[in-house]
Amino acid sequence: MVRVDTDGNERAGKGPFRVTLGVSAGISIYKACDLVRRLKERGCEVRVVMTGHAAQMVAPVTFQALSGNAVITDLFTGAGEPSIAHIELAKWEDLLLVAPATANVLGKFARGIADDFLSTHYLATTAPVLLAPAMNGNMWRHPAVRENLKILEERGHVFLQPGRGSLACGDVDEGRLPEPVAIAEEALLLLSKAGDLSGMEVLVTAGPTREALDPVRFLSNRSSGKMGYAVAREALRRGAQVTLISGPTSLEPPRGSRLVPVTTAAEMEAAVAQHFPACQVLVMAAAVADYRAAQILPDKRKKAKGGWTLALEPTADILSNIRGLKKKGQFVCGFAAETEEVKANARKKLEDKGLDLIAANDVSAEGVGFDSDRNALILLWPGGAEERVPETTKAACSRALWDAISEALHGA
Ligand code: CTP
């Protein structure tokens, strides 16, 4: 049955958005009942999968009545051929949303343990995944949970940050499931954005560069590459083909990206020059060294009395040089790492380098920027427009950045 779309939320002529709602056993499960209604109000078709424990907390028939579809509770009672129902569902859905997502479900998803319908289905799906964790505050902060969240985030899944407030255990802490309307809105946002970069060639640079002094020493900077990798991951999630030119980092390249590893600023410049002509969007998130040793010693410099005075020479400015190669329709976004006069300095870089957008960040601010999982950005456009992205995860910063770029591209 094709449902009437009450809110105009359609998959480009293919009918209403199809959401699989995975429900695991958290006390906030009662909110999942309302979430089904909120999704349906927004024109989504919803199928519910419950874990065994969840089905002991709320009878599946409740979700069946709310969703209008049979509820799947285990591997062998699903609709369709029992052995392939998890695959059928994967082909059907546009989004896998899990709310509440318990620590157990996050752990199984992160490690690929497939011992019930929901965790088996997770491995079978290629749809975007939105997770709304809810648990006790100590559980939420436990290193095991943090590690699993990191794995899932690096895999490109999106999280809703649990809220702070009174929890089922009586504590006032972090760990509450967000309100159903907020979850439904986030789901719709993801569904409408999924594929908005489809078919687009995107080039992202990330990480620091290293400039050798001798065979064992180098000059570099504190960039971890996390921001650029998050930008690449988000572009992939939205359907782009992504080439990631990366300086040395300890990060896993996002699945599906074409990684071009480089070490020096000169190597990064050559790689950008090679890949730029084929891309529609370049996001230059790398922290490129501005200076290199005028002379690289062929052997390790021996310790000697007194100091060591280095002669440095400038490296090429990659973005400024790309300016001459830029064709109509190509979009170039830079980053500005600043410690003072953030906006004024970033705006000057936007103009001097002829950029379409610059994302400024204050790298001296506590808890954000270099090597952190969090960041805060100011997006500056030619002509004076600006948009603030308040402190959040680098994944969420990347979503805001691509929202802005996508709007500019599609509006153009
Ligand atoms: N960038 C570049 N080539 C360089 C240095 C920087 O393409 N040799 C790019 C960065 O990737 C970033 C932007 O230029 O997108 C701004 O980099 P940033 O380090 O903030 O500024 P710089 O131009 O190096 O200027 P300064 O160090 O004086 O702030």
Side-chain angles (χ1 to χ4, degrees):
M1 179 171 87
V2 176
R3 264 163 225 293
V4 178
D5 179 2
T6 53
D7 227 15
N9 290 314
E10 286 255 342
R11 307 139 73 225
K14 288 188 273 171
F17 287 130
R18 295 162 164 182
V19 178
T20 299
L21 174 62
V23 178
S24 58
I27 296 296
S28 53
I29 191 169
Y30 66 94
K31 290 187 183 170
C33 300
D34 191 34
L35 176 57
V36 176
R37 287 185 43 234
R38 301 299 175 189
L39 288 166
K40 289 191 63 180
E41 275 169 16
R42 286 163 177 75
C44 299
E45 167 117 28
V46 183
R47 291 196 180 168
V48 177
V49 175
M50 300 180 80
T51 63
H53 286 138
Q56 287 176 25
M57 297 175 85
V58 171
V61 70
T62 309
F63 284 102
Q64 184 174 331
L66 290 167
S67 68
N69 283 314
V71 172
I72 305 174
T73 51
D74 76 44
L75 261 178
F76 301 104
T77 60
E81 279 296 308
S83 55
I84 56 155
H86 54 291
I87 315 279
E88 292 293 317
L89 192 61
K91 287 185 187 153
W92 174 84
E93 73 199 359
D94 298 314
L95 175 74
L96 171 60
L97 160 63
V98 185
T102 57
N104 185 41
V105 162
L106 297 178
K108 286 202 275 188
F109 282 14
R111 310 290 163 167
I113 296 167
D115 64 352
D116 63 2
F117 190 95
L118 184 59
S119 51
T120 308
H121 170 64
Y122 165 75
L123 293 183
T125 193
T126 53
V129 178
L130 173 62
L131 301 162
M135 63 196 76
N136 159 274
N138 285 340
M139 291 171 75
W140 174 242
R141 287 182 291 273
H142 195 283
V145 173
R146 307 314 305 169
E147 210 171 284
N148 289 334
L149 287 168
K150 192 160 173 271
I151 291 172
L152 294 168
E153 192 152 59
E154 282 178 2
R155 214 170 272 165
H157 304 333
V158 180
F159 284 94
L160 274 160
Q161 191 70 18
R164 210 186 146 74
S166 103
L167 304 177
C169 53
D171 297 349
V172 174
D173 205 345
E174 227 179 348
R176 276 172 70 91
L177 188 71
E179 292 311 309
V181 168
I183 302 175
E185 288 294 327
E186 186 67 28
L188 259 295
L189 208 65
L190 266 185
L191 283 161
S192 58
K193 292 281 159 50
D196 66 344
L197 302 180
S198 170
M200 202 168 275
E201 277 291 337
V202 165
L203 182 59
V204 179
T205 68
T209 63
R210 269 184 197 170
E211 312 301 328
L213 301 177
D214 71 11
V216 299
R217 302 180 178 94
F218 56 80
L219 291 175
S220 192
N221 58 62
R222 290 178 54 204
S223 167
S224 61
K226 285 179 182 171
M227 190 66 234
Y229 277 54
V231 168
R233 199 172 294 121
E234 177 64 10
L236 283 162
R237 205 180 56 71
R238 291 171 178 233
Q241 314 276 353
V242 177
T243 302
L244 174 61
I245 301 175
S246 175
T249 74
S250 57
L251 305 173
E252 274 292 303
R255 203 154 58 125
S257 64
R258 289 168 300 216
L259 181 74
V260 181
V262 296
T263 304
T264 63
E267 286 169 15
M268 186 168 280
E269 186 188 19
V272 171
Q274 185 190 338
H275 293 279
F276 182 68
C279 82
Q280 276 133 301
V281 182
L282 164 65
V283 180
M284 198 70 203
V288 188
D290 289 327
Y291 294 94
R292 62 172 164 239
Q295 214 192 0
I296 303 172
L297 301 177
D299 294 307
K300 183 185 170 200
R301 185 184 192 274
K302 284 297 182 194
K303 190 162 49 188
K305 284 224 161 63
W308 177 7
T309 304
L310 288 170
L312 302 179
E313 62 183 23
T315 58
D317 192 294
I318 302 174
L319 276 180
S320 300
N321 290 351
I322 226 67
R323 208 174 172 169
L325 303 176
K326 194 175 160 196
K327 294 189 298 273
K328 197 168 176 285
Q330 282 186 306
F331 188 99
V332 178
C333 169
F335 268 73
E338 307 294 348
T339 56
E340 52 173 352
E341 303 278 347
V342 176
K343 260 201 310 190
N345 283 333
R347 193 159 280 290
K348 184 162 185 313
K349 285 175 192 171
L350 174 76
E351 282 154 18
D352 290 351
K353 300 187 192 222
L355 306 175
D356 299 296
L357 175 67
I358 197 156
N361 58 337
D362 182 348
V363 288
S364 66
E366 191 70 14
V368 298
F370 285 137
D371 207 25
S372 166
D373 290 323
R374 300 178 72 75
N375 211 352
L377 302 175
I378 309 174
L379 307 182
L380 300 170
W381 301 86
E386 64 176 67
E387 180 188 334
R388 274 181 189 273
V389 184
E391 190 197 320
T392 181
T393 61
K394 285 186 173 171
C397 283
S398 305
R399 284 202 289 283
L401 182 69
W402 280 115
D403 283 351
I405 296 176
S406 174
E407 206 177 300
L409 294 172
H410 292 114

